[in-house]
Amino acid sequence: MDAQGRGRAGGIDPADQWVFDPKTGSYELRLDHADGADPAPGPGSARSAITDPGSTASSFVPSSKASPGPASRTKPAREVPGPRATGRRGAPEAKAGAAAGAKAGTKTGSRAGAKAGSRAAAAKAAATGRRKPKPKKSTKKKVLLWTGGTLAFVLVGGSLGAYLLYEHFNNNLNKVDVGINNGAVTKGPVNILVIGTDKRDGEGNKGYGDEGSVGHADTTLLFHVSEDRSNATALSIPRDMITDIPECTTKKDGKSKSIAGSKGVRFNESLGQEDRDPGCTWRTVEQLTGLKVTHFMMADFNAVKKMSSAVGGVEVCLGKDIDDPKSHLKLSKGRHKIEGEDALAFVRTRHSVGFESDLDRIKLQQQFLSSMIREMKSDDTFTNPKKLYNLGDAATKSLTVDSGIGSVSDLTRLAKDLSRVNLKNITFATVPVLDNPAEGKNHKTVVLDKAKAEPLFAMVRQDVSLTEVKEKEKKQQEQADAKQAALLQGPRSAPAAVRVKVLNGSGRMGAAQEAVSWMQNSKGMARSSNGGNAAGGKKVDKTVLEFAPAQADQARRLADVMGLEADALKQSSATTAPAEMTLTLGSDFKAAGTPIHVEAPAKAPEDIQRVEADDKNICAK
């Protein structure tokens, strides 16, 4: 292995070094090739198990547990003494030996007697060529590793083997400090920004267009997972959409650099242009959607090629023949299982489908990603250790992530959290846009269709699924909503009786004082006060009102004034009410007098572009 942990030890594929130990029921790393030594075949050795078609482990065998030293590399620890017979006529003798050994062990009542009996039985079995019966296969441990819109898996098992695999994958990962360090797992909703960059530099990325490209946000999805993990929505953001890019700060070699924002430019310039890093795209997406990004994952062209090959190909469907000389995609009408260069060509093509626009290309990408998710969650991937290794290796080598998930252990924790989402409740949707009216008839860019986009964003912000969730899950959510909504039912106190301390967690300077002044001067709440910044000076996503049961009438009055939804009310179980309630303003507080809560529609607009992840009947036209 080279200094970066990307090579192969002794020319051996790491995936082929994993062996199954029936005694522990897990996979371990066979280290007998570590120094280039080739163990001599012999009874019970790893080499004989590989070549023996009757071996329990098939191509995966129990690893040697010999003590350190030169001998351990050339002689298996459990080699049975004595010549090996080729016949099976000694079976009765083997049984007799086993019985005698067991009897001897019982009579002495000592460990020595038991071991003596065991050795006697083993010697008899070896002399007759009798092989041990096949042990029952144990259940494989499965660990699902999500990589936002693309996803990946990794198998971790065995002590030393797990450590080596962990170090290998860990060294593959690249990290970028975007100035925000969220924990790998959160109790609330999760928003993962997935960026596919068109950077042409690096192994496997050359030969595609301008090799001097700094790498823009060519393909961008915001993968939103609901707080209860019942559903997920992946929003595709068109690269040619005209938007504003806010000011952002980048960090490189320990130095911070402030980059000015841009007005009315293509979305894809949020990355690469003016030395912008993924943190700049992060902030642009937050400004655009009103959703707080939790983590980001960025991959290049090579990711599509390597990961599609790692899972053994991804099935796609075409409604017509395609021969696109620009993307080099040449496929006939119907279903195909594609990987490598063909997979990359599929997600990059647009000149042979639909109206040859980036929006049509997004449809292909959504079909491809939906199919890849299905392939990754299939038993065929879960039960294939080599496929799992190849997929984990390809994913980690291709990924750049934020520091909050900058290790395999953090990615695994995130994976286990998000794996609860049912495949049928994952929806891909495209952010609604219109042709740019400033371009006349020659449309090259698009602008946000606010009339359709805002309701869609509101649905995602409030965890309203774009698919029908299970009836049981729906009833549980309805019951929880009803209980919370009951807090708003009942009498309201007079404005003058409302006592509340306002904390600023919005991230906007002066927000708390702005709210207090408005309450006092416009709403008659003279007992409101400015409590300064939120605890720890932290920025919070949602505005929350905390109160005791005895203050419920005051809370309802304040909720009416501020436009708070039921979810924003947090009632304690305290029997004695504090002197005042606490209102913590979140980033959803826009301005004094503007209702914080905007009711989301029950259903998304009918004509938005979307794809259900479990729909296998999608064919591009």
Side-chain angles (χ1 to χ4, degrees):
M1 187 175 293
D2 62 21
Q4 286 73 38
R6 298 176 186 266
R8 292 182 177 181
I12 301 299
D13 187 338
D16 293 332
Q17 293 180 291
W18 282 91
V19 294
F20 178 72
D21 188 345
K23 293 181 176 60
T24 63
S26 64
Y27 288 90
E28 297 180 2
L29 194 65
R30 178 161 54 85
L31 301 176
D32 48 19
H33 288 292
D35 294 326
D38 191 5
S45 71
R47 178 69 65 190
S48 64
I50 290 175
T51 57
D52 189 342
S55 170
T56 298
S58 188
S59 62
F60 293 90
V61 298
S63 58
S64 172
K65 295 185 178 180
S67 59
S72 67
R73 299 189 183 96
T74 58
K75 183 178 179 180
R78 296 190 177 185
E79 184 171 343
V80 180
R84 173 171 177 158
T86 58
R88 299 173 58 93
R89 299 178 60 184
E93 287 83 348
K95 291 180 179 178
K103 186 176 181 181
T106 304
K107 284 183 177 182
T108 60
S110 66
R111 291 183 180 177
K115 288 183 178 178
S118 177
R119 284 196 296 270
K124 287 285 185 179
T128 59
R130 185 76 169 178
R131 187 182 297 113
K132 292 181 179 180
K134 293 184 178 180
K136 294 181 179 180
K137 293 184 178 179
S138 63
T139 304
K140 297 177 177 65
K141 295 182 179 179
K142 305 170 183 177
V143 180
L144 174 62
L145 176 59
W146 288 58
T147 59
T150 56
L151 313 182
F153 300 95
V154 63
L155 181 69
V156 179
S159 55
L160 177 60
Y163 173 76
L164 294 176
L165 186 63
Y166 173 86
E167 286 297 302
H168 175 73
F169 284 168
N170 235 23
N171 290 336
N172 285 346
L173 281 171
N174 293 310
K175 293 175 285 185
V176 172
D177 183 358
V178 297
I180 302 173
N181 191 14
N182 295 323
V185 177
T186 177
K187 293 183 179 179
V190 177
N191 296 303
I192 301 176
L193 180 63
V194 182
I195 306 171
T197 174
D198 60 358
K199 187 174 183 179
R200 269 76 174 183
D201 297 334
E203 182 182 354
N205 295 317
K206 295 182 179 180
Y208 303 104
D210 177 17
E211 292 190 9
S213 172
V214 294
H216 299 94
D218 191 58
T219 299
T220 305
L221 298 98
L222 183 61
F223 195 81
H224 170 84
V225 182
S226 65
E227 183 172 1
D228 62 3
R229 306 300 187 257
S230 67
N231 66 88
T233 301
L235 294 176
S236 294
I237 303 174
R239 66 177 185 181
D240 295 326
M241 183 178 65
I242 298 299
T243 189
D244 294 337
I245 299 174
E247 178 183 351
C248 58
T249 300
T250 62
K251 291 184 179 181
K252 189 174 183 181
D253 299 327
K255 296 181 179 180
S256 297
K257 178 182 177 181
S258 181
I259 302 175
S262 299
K263 297 283 188 180
V265 296
R266 293 176 192 251
F267 173 83
N268 69 349
E269 292 184 22
S270 62
L271 178 70
Q273 204 79 11
E274 308 294 338
D275 291 331
R276 294 185 176 109
D277 68 5
C280 299
T281 307
W282 179 313
R283 289 162 177 80
T284 304
V285 170
E286 287 187 337
Q287 178 177 274
L288 174 70
T289 64
L291 289 154
K292 305 304 295 181
V293 175
T294 315
H295 299 291
F296 90 86
M297 299 177 181
M298 182 172 69
D300 55 22
F301 287 144
N302 214 30
V304 176
K305 294 190 293 184
K306 294 293 185 182
M307 293 179 67
S308 61
S309 295
V311 297
V314 175
E315 186 179 86
V316 296
C317 181
L318 295 175
K320 64 177 182 179
D321 296 343
I322 289 183
D323 186 359
D324 187 346
K326 292 189 176 182
S327 69
H328 308 295
L329 178 67
K330 188 173 183 178
L331 289 176
S332 60
K333 177 181 178 180
R335 296 186 176 277
H336 302 270
K337 203 158 192 179
I338 58 175
E339 61 179 277
E341 294 290 345
D342 285 340
L344 178 59
F346 184 86
V347 298
R348 292 187 68 238
T349 196
R350 65 187 177 94
H351 294 288
S352 299
V353 292
F355 296 100
E356 302 187 9
S357 69
D358 184 50
L359 298 180
D360 292 304
R361 187 181 66 142
I362 287 175
K363 294 177 183 178
L364 293 179
Q365 293 169 350
Q366 292 173 344
Q367 180 193 155
F368 179 86
L369 291 174
S370 296
S371 183
M372 179 172 275
I373 292 173
R374 293 195 298 270
E375 189 66 40
M376 288 179 173
K377 296 192 78 171
S378 69
D379 288 339
D380 182 52
T381 299
F382 266 138
T383 57
N384 189 323
K386 187 167 184 177
K387 185 180 285 189
L388 286 169
Y389 172 86
N390 290 338
L391 185 53
D393 194 45
T396 51
K397 279 182 178 178
S398 303
L399 282 178
T400 298
V401 299
D402 62 276
S403 52
I405 49 173
S407 68
V408 170
S409 60
D410 286 332
L411 280 172
T412 303
R413 289 174 59 215
L414 177 64
K416 292 172 69 176
D417 181 39
L418 303 187
S419 63
R420 290 181 280 164
V421 181
N422 193 308
L423 180 65
K424 73 175 186 177
N425 295 334
I426 301 175
T427 305
F428 288 85
T430 303
V431 171
V433 291
L434 300 168
D435 288 333
N436 189 351
E439 293 178 339
K441 294 182 179 180
N442 299 319
H443 299 296
K444 294 183 179 180
T445 62
V446 293
V447 295
L448 187 69
D449 185 348
K450 292 184 178 181
K452 295 177 182 178
E454 287 305 327
L456 176 61
F457 294 155
M459 288 184 68
V460 178
R461 285 194 295 265
Q462 297 176 37
D463 279 355
V464 179
S465 176
L466 270 65
T467 57
E468 289 296 325
V469 298
K470 290 180 180 178
E471 195 63 32
K472 181 179 179 181
E473 295 171 343
K474 186 184 294 185
K475 286 183 178 179
Q476 290 175 341
Q477 188 60 45
E478 288 175 350
Q479 290 172 355
D481 291 345
K483 183 178 179 181
Q484 191 67 24
L487 295 175
L488 290 174
Q489 305 301 316
R492 270 79 169 155
S493 67
V498 174
R499 299 173 64 97
V500 61
K501 175 176 62 178
V502 182
L503 303 180
N504 186 9
S506 69
R508 182 165 62 84
M509 188 178 296
Q513 186 56 49
E514 177 188 331
V516 168
S517 298
W518 177 76
M519 289 180 196
Q520 293 176 345
N521 300 326
S522 300
K523 296 300 176 181
M525 296 181 173
R527 296 186 177 186
S528 57
S529 63
N530 183 353
N533 290 327
K538 292 183 178 180
K539 184 178 179 180
V540 297
D541 294 339
K542 290 186 176 183
T543 298
V544 175
L545 175 60
E546 299 173 86
F547 61 97
Q551 298 168 317
D553 54 346
Q554 296 182 49
R556 285 189 280 268
R557 170 63 67 184
L558 186 58
D560 292 343
V561 169
M562 297 295 294
L564 296 175
E565 61 182 334
D567 286 348
L569 274 58
K570 186 177 180 181
Q571 180 175 280
S572 71
S573 57
T575 54
T576 303
E580 55 193 354
M581 301 182 294
T582 300
L583 176 68
T584 303
L585 300 178
S587 56
D588 53 357
F589 174 76
K590 303 303 179 185
T594 301
I596 291 174
H597 173 63
V598 178
E599 189 66 39
K603 291 185 178 181
E606 291 293 331
D607 53 351
I608 66 167
Q609 179 179 305
R610 64 180 179 180
V611 171
E612 310 297 337
D614 66 337
D615 188 351
K616 300 179 181 180
N617 300 314
I618 306 168
C619 287
K621 297 181 180 180

